[in-house]
Amino acid sequence: AGSWAECAANCNAQGYTGTAGTENGEECWCSTTDGAQGTAAPGDCNSPCPDDPSKTCGDASRLNEFSFDCSAQYYSCSGTACVSDPNGPWTTPDCDSACQ
């Protein structure tokens, strides 16, 4: 995975919830266990994430662990108003202009 977001999305798609980790710049690991699974010395996780170099994606045999929540809010039309709807087509509440 090239970023924390991509790793979290991959884990969520596989049915994992809670904790993910990136290793060695591109690998993604998933867990159903919450919380840190260990600690590394400062500076051990220095591989930049390819898709988000502002974050580190672990290093050789080192994980950057993080919690994630991939629940999304969806919206659809109810009359002329945009309302929360788990089956809706939009992920933004700014869909009023599409509702007639």
Side-chain angles (χ1 to χ4, degrees):
S3 68
W4 291 12
E6 181 183 6
C7 183
N10 290 343
C11 290
N12 186 65
Q14 296 297 317
Y16 289 93
T17 59
T19 305
T22 52
E23 180 181 354
N24 210 23
E26 295 184 0
E27 298 174 29
C28 177
W29 297 87
C30 309
S31 175
T32 55
T33 304
D34 288 332
Q37 303 303 305
T39 57
D44 275 4
C45 295
N46 289 325
S47 293
C49 299
D51 296 342
D52 184 0
S54 69
K55 292 189 172 28
T56 57
C57 281
D59 216 322
S61 299
R62 295 289 186 255
L63 289 175
N64 273 99
E65 291 180 293
F66 52 91
S67 296
F68 66 91
D69 178 5
C70 290
S71 60
Q73 184 69 41
Y74 290 95
Y75 300 87
S76 67
C77 294
S78 175
T80 59
C82 188
V83 297
S84 178
D85 176 3
N87 299 311
W90 297 292
T91 57
T92 173
D94 300 322
C95 60
D96 286 335
S97 63
C99 299
Q100 305 282 329

